[in-house]
Amino acid sequence: MAKHDPCRVVPGTKVRLKDFKTDDDGGLSKADGEREFAGLCERLTDLQELLYAEGKHALLIVLQAMDAGGKDSTIRNVCGAFNPQGCKVVGFKAPNDVELRHDFLWRVHENTPRLGYIGVFNRSHYEDVLVVRVKDLLPEKRWRARYEHINAFEKILHDEGTTIVKFFLHISKEYQRDRLQRRLEKRDKLWKFDPADLTERARWDDYHAAYEEALSRCSTEHAPWYIIPAERHWHRNLAVARVLVDALESLNMKFPKADFNPDEIVIP
Ligand code: AMP
Ligand code: MG
């Protein structure tokens, strides 16, 4: 995996989100960025077929962001390159009664991708150290222990063949206002507006503090976090696609060898 990627949170470093841009264009024009992105999508399509054919690895993509950060649109744009047969997207909402009666990773583990497949988490087990912390849903002792639990869980997945990449789609508070406003103004976007988002917005700083701790403590060699400047959509898509291509290419996958000689076979 590209260790030099400026978006990658180097394990052991303390993240301050203020130091990360939200509107970076990587010094590219939109046209150049879109051209590169189209090429990367073709590569992603091929790499996924290889992942499926070889069946030795799985890929887990974790997406987190503040409301209106662009998780849905990233999934549509980037994961659109994958054959839907080999890719499962799972959205994590507030846990139901049964889920609340299990440990917080129970519903998550159940949804991790099997070998050969790609899993995409729209929100994830990180909510259990984000919303749970910010809204005081559990005593601090409970959520504090979870950073270690998460690292151990992700290590198990990694050691058993799953490549994990985690993206925080980074936007500013002003940008969020514009996007929420747009949801109110555009009648076909209104369904996405949830008045409760405003309560969350009021806790912007608390969420950022919670994100900073999660990004600092849970970016590991085996499951790195990437902080993606997410306000320019074309650049966001490009940055995510680059990481995914890198992650899949570093697996050095091969198509399985046939146990027969195709030249000797005649189809009647
Ligand atoms: P959305 O992604 O906009 O459909 O919203 C999903 C909601 O579920 C968000 O408000 C999340 O904060 C909430 N949510 C997801 N996971 C958890 C969790 N483990 N505990 C509490 N709320 C959660
Ligand atoms: Mg929402």
Side-chain angles (χ1 to χ4, degrees):
M1 208 168 290
K3 305 261 168 192
H4 56 270
D5 189 323
C7 302
R8 181 174 174 273
V9 177
V10 176
T13 52
K14 210 162 166 9
V15 170
R16 287 194 339 179
L17 282 172
K18 277 202 211 79
D19 299 340
F20 289 81
K21 283 195 190 165
T22 54
D23 63 349
D24 199 19
D25 62 6
L28 288 172
S29 70
K30 186 176 177 196
D32 284 346
E34 285 180 341
R35 201 168 307 117
E36 183 185 340
F37 178 66
L40 290 174
C41 284
E42 285 180 23
R43 189 76 195 110
L44 284 175
T45 303
D46 293 346
L47 284 163
Q48 186 207 8
E49 191 177 5
L50 190 52
L51 181 89
Y52 189 86
E54 194 196 46
K56 290 188 178 163
H57 303 274
L59 175 66
L60 175 60
I61 302 167
V62 171
L63 285 169
Q64 286 286 160
M66 299 294 287
D67 286 315
K71 298 188 299 298
D72 296 339
S73 143
T74 303
I75 292 170
R76 208 171 48 247
N77 284 282
V78 183
C79 302
F82 301 138
N83 180 341
Q85 247 189 144
C87 177
K88 186 167 106 170
V89 181
V90 186
F92 289 95
K93 309 276 179 191
N96 64 30
D97 288 350
V98 176
E99 289 164 347
L100 282 173
R101 284 163 184 250
H102 285 273
D103 69 86
F104 77 105
L105 291 168
W106 180 72
R107 65 174 184 163
V108 180
H109 208 164
E110 196 185 25
N111 281 295
T112 54
R114 65 186 104 158
L115 301 181
Y117 285 73
I118 295 175
V120 183
F121 285 178
N122 183 343
R123 301 186 191 269
S124 64
H125 43 300
Y126 282 92
E127 292 292 330
D128 294 285
V129 289
L130 294 167
V131 63
V132 170
R133 165 178 170 157
V134 170
K135 288 168 87 173
D136 258 333
L137 301 180
L138 284 176
E140 175 164 357
K141 190 163 174 281
R142 286 282 303 284
W143 58 255
R144 269 231 164 265
R146 291 181 170 177
Y147 300 104
E148 259 181 61
H149 297 153
I150 288 174
N151 287 340
F153 170 65
E154 292 179 352
K155 182 80 164 63
I156 294 173
L157 297 180
H158 169 268
D159 289 354
E160 298 285 326
T162 301
T163 292
I164 306 171
V165 281
K166 303 178 295 199
F167 298 104
F168 172 62
L169 307 179
H170 188 27
I171 58 169
S172 65
K173 198 172 177 186
E174 297 69 42
Y175 175 90
Q176 189 196 53
R177 187 207 308 109
D178 293 347
R179 298 304 288 185
L180 292 177
Q181 186 65 42
R182 185 168 171 271
R183 287 180 181 177
L184 287 174
E185 285 165 11
K186 295 196 80 169
R187 287 299 176 241
D188 59 341
K189 294 288 171 205
L190 193 55
W191 67 275
K192 280 198 143 193
F193 189 87
D194 179 354
D197 291 348
L198 298 183
T199 328
E200 307 304 308
R201 177 174 163 78
R203 292 165 152 161
W204 182 274
D205 291 341
D206 294 340
Y207 270 104
H208 264 207
Y211 265 112
E212 284 175 343
E213 185 153 6
L215 294 164
S216 303
R217 296 191 59 180
C218 300
S219 191
T220 56
E221 292 297 341
H222 57 270
W225 269 109
Y226 293 83
I227 300 175
I228 304 289
E231 293 181 8
R232 290 175 205 256
H233 298 175
W234 62 269
H235 183 265
R236 172 202 68 199
N237 296 341
L238 177 64
V240 169
R242 279 178 177 164
V243 172
L244 296 180
V245 166
D246 256 8
L248 288 168
E249 281 185 339
S250 72
L251 295 174
N252 291 314
M253 296 179 286
K254 305 265 182 298
F255 283 109
K257 282 212 173 64
D259 54 3
F260 52 83
N261 181 353
D263 298 336
E264 286 173 359
I265 294 185
V266 178
I267 314 261

PDB file of all heavy atoms in Angstrom, residues 102-125:
ATOM      1  N   HIS A 102     -26.346  -7.568  22.265  1.00  0.00           N
ATOM      2  CA  HIS A 102     -25.080  -8.236  21.955  1.00  0.00           C
ATOM      3  C   HIS A 102     -23.943  -7.230  22.115  1.00  0.00           C
ATOM      4  O   HIS A 102     -24.170  -6.028  22.248  1.00  0.00           O
ATOM      5  CB  HIS A 102     -25.098  -8.727  20.501  1.00  0.00           C
ATOM      6  CG  HIS A 102     -25.939  -9.940  20.290  1.00  0.00           C
ATOM      7  ND1 HIS A 102     -25.467 -11.216  20.453  1.00  0.00           N
ATOM      8  CD2 HIS A 102     -27.229 -10.062  19.906  1.00  0.00           C
ATOM      9  CE1 HIS A 102     -26.429 -12.082  20.193  1.00  0.00           C
ATOM     10  NE2 HIS A 102     -27.517 -11.407  19.858  1.00  0.00           N
ATOM     11  N   ASP A 103     -22.708  -7.734  22.021  1.00  0.00           N
ATOM     12  CA  ASP A 103     -21.578  -6.802  22.012  1.00  0.00           C
ATOM     13  C   ASP A 103     -21.632  -5.973  20.731  1.00  0.00           C
ATOM     14  O   ASP A 103     -22.242  -6.382  19.732  1.00  0.00           O
ATOM     15  CB  ASP A 103     -20.254  -7.574  22.111  1.00  0.00           C
ATOM     16  CG  ASP A 103     -19.963  -8.358  20.855  1.00  0.00           C
ATOM     17  OD1 ASP A 103     -19.386  -7.778  19.920  1.00  0.00           O
ATOM     18  OD2 ASP A 103     -20.361  -9.538  20.773  1.00  0.00           O
ATOM     19  N   PHE A 104     -20.980  -4.817  20.739  1.00  0.00           N
ATOM     20  CA  PHE A 104     -21.146  -3.861  19.629  1.00  0.00           C
ATOM     21  C   PHE A 104     -20.597  -4.366  18.301  1.00  0.00           C
ATOM     22  O   PHE A 104     -20.972  -3.854  17.241  1.00  0.00           O
ATOM     23  CB  PHE A 104     -20.550  -2.490  19.992  1.00  0.00           C
ATOM     24  CG  PHE A 104     -19.033  -2.410  19.920  1.00  0.00           C
ATOM     25  CD1 PHE A 104     -18.412  -1.752  18.871  1.00  0.00           C
ATOM     26  CD2 PHE A 104     -18.234  -2.964  20.918  1.00  0.00           C
ATOM     27  CE1 PHE A 104     -17.021  -1.650  18.805  1.00  0.00           C
ATOM     28  CE2 PHE A 104     -16.842  -2.872  20.864  1.00  0.00           C
ATOM     29  CZ  PHE A 104     -16.237  -2.223  19.805  1.00  0.00           C
ATOM     30  N   LEU A 105     -19.726  -5.383  18.361  1.00  0.00           N
ATOM     31  CA  LEU A 105     -19.149  -5.868  17.102  1.00  0.00           C
ATOM     32  C   LEU A 105     -19.943  -7.017  16.478  1.00  0.00           C
ATOM     33  O   LEU A 105     -19.661  -7.429  15.359  1.00  0.00           O
ATOM     34  CB  LEU A 105     -17.692  -6.304  17.341  1.00  0.00           C
ATOM     35  CG  LEU A 105     -16.744  -5.133  17.637  1.00  0.00           C
ATOM     36  CD1 LEU A 105     -15.404  -5.633  18.157  1.00  0.00           C
ATOM     37  CD2 LEU A 105     -16.552  -4.262  16.388  1.00  0.00           C
ATOM     38  N   TRP A 106     -20.933  -7.488  17.169  1.00  0.00           N
ATOM     39  CA  TRP A 106     -21.695  -8.650  16.699  1.00  0.00           C
ATOM     40  C   TRP A 106     -22.324  -8.396  15.327  1.00  0.00           C
ATOM     41  O   TRP A 106     -22.134  -9.138  14.379  1.00  0.00           O
ATOM     42  CB  TRP A 106     -22.776  -8.969  17.744  1.00  0.00           C
ATOM     43  CG  TRP A 106     -23.652 -10.136  17.423  1.00  0.00           C
ATOM     44  CD1 TRP A 106     -23.299 -11.452  17.445  1.00  0.00           C
ATOM     45  CD2 TRP A 106     -25.037 -10.082  17.049  1.00  0.00           C
ATOM     46  NE1 TRP A 106     -24.388 -12.224  17.113  1.00  0.00           N
ATOM     47  CE2 TRP A 106     -25.457 -11.418  16.867  1.00  0.00           C
ATOM     48  CE3 TRP A 106     -25.975  -9.057  16.865  1.00  0.00           C
ATOM     49  CZ2 TRP A 106     -26.762 -11.744  16.496  1.00  0.00           C
ATOM     50  CZ3 TRP A 106     -27.264  -9.377  16.505  1.00  0.00           C
ATOM     51  CH2 TRP A 106     -27.651 -10.707  16.315  1.00  0.00           C
ATOM     52  N   ARG A 107     -23.042  -7.297  15.209  1.00  0.00           N
ATOM     53  CA  ARG A 107     -23.727  -7.027  13.940  1.00  0.00           C
ATOM     54  C   ARG A 107     -22.733  -6.668  12.840  1.00  0.00           C
ATOM     55  O   ARG A 107     -23.036  -6.759  11.660  1.00  0.00           O
ATOM     56  CB  ARG A 107     -24.763  -5.916  14.110  1.00  0.00           C
ATOM     57  CG  ARG A 107     -24.166  -4.546  14.453  1.00  0.00           C
ATOM     58  CD  ARG A 107     -25.245  -3.470  14.453  1.00  0.00           C
ATOM     59  NE  ARG A 107     -24.714  -2.136  14.677  1.00  0.00           N
ATOM     60  CZ  ARG A 107     -25.388  -1.033  14.393  1.00  0.00           C
ATOM     61  NH1 ARG A 107     -26.603  -1.113  13.886  1.00  0.00           N
ATOM     62  NH2 ARG A 107     -24.866   0.155  14.624  1.00  0.00           N
ATOM     63  N   VAL A 108     -21.569  -6.215  13.259  1.00  0.00           N
ATOM     64  CA  VAL A 108     -20.548  -5.807  12.297  1.00  0.00           C
ATOM     65  C   VAL A 108     -19.859  -7.037  11.708  1.00  0.00           C
ATOM     66  O   VAL A 108     -19.744  -7.197  10.489  1.00  0.00           O
ATOM     67  CB  VAL A 108     -19.504  -4.890  12.976  1.00  0.00           C
ATOM     68  CG1 VAL A 108     -18.440  -4.454  11.996  1.00  0.00           C
ATOM     69  CG2 VAL A 108     -20.204  -3.689  13.601  1.00  0.00           C
ATOM     70  N   HIS A 109     -19.464  -7.934  12.598  1.00  0.00           N
ATOM     71  CA  HIS A 109     -18.747  -9.134  12.163  1.00  0.00           C
ATOM     72  C   HIS A 109     -19.607  -9.959  11.202  1.00  0.00           C
ATOM     73  O   HIS A 109     -19.112 -10.529  10.230  1.00  0.00           O
ATOM     74  CB  HIS A 109     -18.348  -9.971  13.385  1.00  0.00           C
ATOM     75  CG  HIS A 109     -17.121 -10.792  13.149  1.00  0.00           C
ATOM     76  ND1 HIS A 109     -16.384 -11.360  14.144  1.00  0.00           N
ATOM     77  CD2 HIS A 109     -16.492 -11.155  11.995  1.00  0.00           C
ATOM     78  CE1 HIS A 109     -15.354 -12.029  13.639  1.00  0.00           C
ATOM     79  NE2 HIS A 109     -15.403 -11.917  12.331  1.00  0.00           N
ATOM     80  N   GLU A 110     -20.883  -9.979  11.505  1.00  0.00           N
ATOM     81  CA  GLU A 110     -21.817 -10.729  10.660  1.00  0.00           C
ATOM     82  C   GLU A 110     -21.822 -10.214   9.217  1.00  0.00           C
ATOM     83  O   GLU A 110     -22.201 -10.926   8.298  1.00  0.00           O
ATOM     84  CB  GLU A 110     -23.213 -10.568  11.276  1.00  0.00           C
ATOM     85  CG  GLU A 110     -24.206 -11.552  10.786  1.00  0.00           C
ATOM     86  CD  GLU A 110     -25.598 -11.257  11.340  1.00  0.00           C
ATOM     87  OE1 GLU A 110     -25.884 -10.093  11.680  1.00  0.00           O
ATOM     88  OE2 GLU A 110     -26.381 -12.210  11.407  1.00  0.00           O
ATOM     89  N   ASN A 111     -21.434  -8.982   9.038  1.00  0.00           N
ATOM     90  CA  ASN A 111     -21.519  -8.357   7.715  1.00  0.00           C
ATOM     91  C   ASN A 111     -20.168  -8.156   7.023  1.00  0.00           C
ATOM     92  O   ASN A 111     -20.091  -7.485   5.998  1.00  0.00           O
ATOM     93  CB  ASN A 111     -22.227  -7.009   7.837  1.00  0.00           C
ATOM     94  CG  ASN A 111     -23.725  -7.197   7.935  1.00  0.00           C
ATOM     95  OD1 ASN A 111     -24.355  -7.668   6.990  1.00  0.00           O
ATOM     96  ND2 ASN A 111     -24.297  -6.888   9.085  1.00  0.00           N
ATOM     97  N   THR A 112     -19.111  -8.724   7.599  1.00  0.00           N
ATOM     98  CA  THR A 112     -17.804  -8.566   6.937  1.00  0.00           C
ATOM     99  C   THR A 112     -17.766  -9.444   5.682  1.00  0.00           C
ATOM    100  O   THR A 112     -18.417 -10.494   5.638  1.00  0.00           O
ATOM    101  CB  THR A 112     -16.648  -8.943   7.898  1.00  0.00           C
ATOM    102  OG1 THR A 112     -16.893 -10.252   8.409  1.00  0.00           O
ATOM    103  CG2 THR A 112     -16.550  -7.954   9.039  1.00  0.00           C
ATOM    104  N   PRO A 113     -17.015  -9.014   4.670  1.00  0.00           N
ATOM    105  CA  PRO A 113     -17.034  -9.754   3.402  1.00  0.00           C
ATOM    106  C   PRO A 113     -16.291 -11.089   3.500  1.00  0.00           C
ATOM    107  O   PRO A 113     -15.285 -11.188   4.198  1.00  0.00           O
ATOM    108  CB  PRO A 113     -16.297  -8.810   2.449  1.00  0.00           C
ATOM    109  CG  PRO A 113     -15.421  -7.985   3.326  1.00  0.00           C
ATOM    110  CD  PRO A 113     -16.153  -7.821   4.615  1.00  0.00           C
ATOM    111  N   ARG A 114     -16.812 -12.086   2.803  1.00  0.00           N
ATOM    112  CA  ARG A 114     -16.078 -13.364   2.724  1.00  0.00           C
ATOM    113  C   ARG A 114     -14.979 -13.245   1.675  1.00  0.00           C
ATOM    114  O   ARG A 114     -14.979 -12.302   0.870  1.00  0.00           O
ATOM    115  CB  ARG A 114     -17.040 -14.495   2.393  1.00  0.00           C
ATOM    116  CG  ARG A 114     -17.669 -14.356   1.026  1.00  0.00           C
ATOM    117  CD  ARG A 114     -18.724 -15.426   0.792  1.00  0.00           C
ATOM    118  NE  ARG A 114     -20.035 -14.815   0.935  1.00  0.00           N
ATOM    119  CZ  ARG A 114     -21.155 -15.324   0.389  1.00  0.00           C
ATOM    120  NH1 ARG A 114     -21.118 -16.442  -0.283  1.00  0.00           N
ATOM    121  NH2 ARG A 114     -22.296 -14.717   0.543  1.00  0.00           N
ATOM    122  N   LEU A 115     -14.046 -14.194   1.672  1.00  0.00           N
ATOM    123  CA  LEU A 115     -12.933 -14.146   0.729  1.00  0.00           C
ATOM    124  C   LEU A 115     -13.473 -14.085  -0.704  1.00  0.00           C
ATOM    125  O   LEU A 115     -14.431 -14.771  -1.048  1.00  0.00           O
ATOM    126  CB  LEU A 115     -12.009 -15.361   0.913  1.00  0.00           C
ATOM    127  CG  LEU A 115     -11.387 -15.494   2.316  1.00  0.00           C
ATOM    128  CD1 LEU A 115     -10.469 -16.714   2.377  1.00  0.00           C
ATOM    129  CD2 LEU A 115     -10.628 -14.234   2.722  1.00  0.00           C
ATOM    130  N   GLY A 116     -12.883 -13.239  -1.507  1.00  0.00           N
ATOM    131  CA  GLY A 116     -13.330 -13.066  -2.893  1.00  0.00           C
ATOM    132  C   GLY A 116     -14.286 -11.893  -3.067  1.00  0.00           C
ATOM    133  O   GLY A 116     -14.594 -11.499  -4.184  1.00  0.00           O
ATOM    134  N   TYR A 117     -14.761 -11.344  -1.946  1.00  0.00           N
ATOM    135  CA  TYR A 117     -15.785 -10.306  -2.011  1.00  0.00           C
ATOM    136  C   TYR A 117     -15.279  -8.959  -1.472  1.00  0.00           C
ATOM    137  O   TYR A 117     -14.315  -8.894  -0.718  1.00  0.00           O
ATOM    138  CB  TYR A 117     -17.017 -10.725  -1.197  1.00  0.00           C
ATOM    139  CG  TYR A 117     -17.852 -11.771  -1.900  1.00  0.00           C
ATOM    140  CD1 TYR A 117     -17.405 -13.092  -1.996  1.00  0.00           C
ATOM    141  CD2 TYR A 117     -19.074 -11.434  -2.481  1.00  0.00           C
ATOM    142  CE1 TYR A 117     -18.157 -14.058  -2.649  1.00  0.00           C
ATOM    143  CE2 TYR A 117     -19.836 -12.409  -3.135  1.00  0.00           C
ATOM    144  CZ  TYR A 117     -19.376 -13.707  -3.219  1.00  0.00           C
ATOM    145  OH  TYR A 117     -20.126 -14.650  -3.863  1.00  0.00           O
ATOM    146  N   ILE A 118     -16.033  -7.925  -1.849  1.00  0.00           N
ATOM    147  CA  ILE A 118     -15.784  -6.585  -1.314  1.00  0.00           C
ATOM    148  C   ILE A 118     -16.965  -6.190  -0.429  1.00  0.00           C
ATOM    149  O   ILE A 118     -18.120  -6.365  -0.820  1.00  0.00           O
ATOM    150  CB  ILE A 118     -15.610  -5.566  -2.463  1.00  0.00           C
ATOM    151  CG1 ILE A 118     -14.348  -5.900  -3.272  1.00  0.00           C
ATOM    152  CG2 ILE A 118     -15.528  -4.129  -1.914  1.00  0.00           C
ATOM    153  CD1 ILE A 118     -14.147  -5.031  -4.501  1.00  0.00           C
ATOM    154  N   GLY A 119     -16.674  -5.694   0.742  1.00  0.00           N
ATOM    155  CA  GLY A 119     -17.718  -5.185   1.633  1.00  0.00           C
ATOM    156  C   GLY A 119     -17.534  -3.689   1.810  1.00  0.00           C
ATOM    157  O   GLY A 119     -16.407  -3.211   1.953  1.00  0.00           O
ATOM    158  N   VAL A 120     -18.641  -2.955   1.756  1.00  0.00           N
ATOM    159  CA  VAL A 120     -18.575  -1.507   1.947  1.00  0.00           C
ATOM    160  C   VAL A 120     -19.456  -1.164   3.143  1.00  0.00           C
ATOM    161  O   VAL A 120     -20.643  -1.504   3.158  1.00  0.00           O
ATOM    162  CB  VAL A 120     -19.083  -0.747   0.699  1.00  0.00           C
ATOM    163  CG1 VAL A 120     -18.924   0.755   0.896  1.00  0.00           C
ATOM    164  CG2 VAL A 120     -18.356  -1.216  -0.561  1.00  0.00           C
ATOM    165  N   PHE A 121     -18.882  -0.529   4.136  1.00  0.00           N
ATOM    166  CA  PHE A 121     -19.650  -0.098   5.308  1.00  0.00           C
ATOM    167  C   PHE A 121     -19.968   1.394   5.198  1.00  0.00           C
ATOM    168  O   PHE A 121     -19.066   2.230   5.197  1.00  0.00           O
ATOM    169  CB  PHE A 121     -18.856  -0.325   6.603  1.00  0.00           C
ATOM    170  CG  PHE A 121     -18.776  -1.767   7.051  1.00  0.00           C
ATOM    171  CD1 PHE A 121     -18.043  -2.101   8.192  1.00  0.00           C
ATOM    172  CD2 PHE A 121     -19.429  -2.792   6.370  1.00  0.00           C
ATOM    173  CE1 PHE A 121     -17.969  -3.422   8.637  1.00  0.00           C
ATOM    174  CE2 PHE A 121     -19.354  -4.109   6.802  1.00  0.00           C
ATOM    175  CZ  PHE A 121     -18.611  -4.424   7.939  1.00  0.00           C
ATOM    176  N   ASN A 122     -21.264   1.697   5.103  1.00  0.00           N
ATOM    177  CA  ASN A 122     -21.740   3.074   5.165  1.00  0.00           C
ATOM    178  C   ASN A 122     -22.069   3.337   6.641  1.00  0.00           C
ATOM    179  O   ASN A 122     -23.105   2.924   7.126  1.00  0.00           O
ATOM    180  CB  ASN A 122     -22.981   3.204   4.278  1.00  0.00           C
ATOM    181  CG  ASN A 122     -23.513   4.611   4.218  1.00  0.00           C
ATOM    182  OD1 ASN A 122     -23.177   5.448   5.055  1.00  0.00           O
ATOM    183  ND2 ASN A 122     -24.353   4.882   3.247  1.00  0.00           N
ATOM    184  N   ARG A 123     -21.144   3.973   7.346  1.00  0.00           N
ATOM    185  CA  ARG A 123     -21.053   3.979   8.809  1.00  0.00           C
ATOM    186  C   ARG A 123     -20.639   2.580   9.250  1.00  0.00           C
ATOM    187  O   ARG A 123     -20.713   1.643   8.465  1.00  0.00           O
ATOM    188  CB  ARG A 123     -22.344   4.396   9.512  1.00  0.00           C
ATOM    189  CG  ARG A 123     -22.817   5.798   9.113  1.00  0.00           C
ATOM    190  CD  ARG A 123     -24.012   6.191   9.972  1.00  0.00           C
ATOM    191  NE  ARG A 123     -24.660   7.386   9.466  1.00  0.00           N
ATOM    192  CZ  ARG A 123     -24.344   8.609   9.865  1.00  0.00           C
ATOM    193  NH1 ARG A 123     -23.405   8.801  10.754  1.00  0.00           N
ATOM    194  NH2 ARG A 123     -24.988   9.645   9.386  1.00  0.00           N
ATOM    195  N   SER A 124     -20.255   2.456  10.521  1.00  0.00           N
ATOM    196  CA  SER A 124     -19.580   1.213  10.899  1.00  0.00           C
ATOM    197  C   SER A 124     -19.514   1.085  12.408  1.00  0.00           C
ATOM    198  O   SER A 124     -20.169   1.839  13.135  1.00  0.00           O
ATOM    199  CB  SER A 124     -18.151   1.270  10.359  1.00  0.00           C
ATOM    200  OG  SER A 124     -17.469   2.349  11.007  1.00  0.00           O
ATOM    201  N   HIS A 125     -18.654   0.173  12.864  1.00  0.00           N
ATOM    202  CA  HIS A 125     -18.383   0.018  14.300  1.00  0.00           C
ATOM    203  C   HIS A 125     -17.780   1.290  14.892  1.00  0.00           C
ATOM    204  O   HIS A 125     -17.737   1.420  16.115  1.00  0.00           O
ATOM    205  CB  HIS A 125     -17.464  -1.179  14.544  1.00  0.00           C
ATOM    206  CG  HIS A 125     -16.314  -1.307  13.587  1.00  0.00           C
ATOM    207  ND1 HIS A 125     -16.483  -1.455  12.222  1.00  0.00           N
ATOM    208  CD2 HIS A 125     -14.977  -1.304  13.784  1.00  0.00           C
ATOM    209  CE1 HIS A 125     -15.300  -1.548  11.646  1.00  0.00           C
ATOM    210  NE2 HIS A 125     -14.365  -1.453  12.558  1.00  0.00           N
TER     211      HIS A 125
END
